Amino acid sequence: VIAIRGTAAPALRRRGSVVTVPAPDGYVAYAVPYGSVGEIADQAAGAAPDVLVIGPDEVRDATLVRLRAVAARRLSTELA
């Protein structure tokens, strides 16, 4: 389940269907089918902060790994 804010991530919204799962204010929850954890995590991370992964845990964890890697690269570039 992925929560999407506004009109962000149109490809994920088209693939998914709205579900009645609690989501933060301004977000709508979607059940989005995916072929691999890596594929959906890449898409979710690429649309952050307008996309939040609610579950399953393995998708959320994989998305966080990607977001942390981007943050670390940006931080190391700023400190260089």
Side-chain angles (χ1 to χ4, degrees), residues 27-76:
Y27 289 78
V28 175
Y30 290 82
V32 180
Y34 56 93
S36 72
V37 170
E39 171 231 342
I40 195 74
D42 286 344
Q43 291 178 357
D50 295 314
V51 171
L52 305 172
V53 178
I54 297 172
D57 290 346
E58 66 180 339
V59 175
R60 185 174 49 248
D61 293 347
T63 303
L64 287 172
V65 165
R66 286 155 174 76
L67 292 172
R68 287 181 181 128
V70 169
R73 281 195 302 271
R74 287 186 180 163
L75 182 59
S76 67

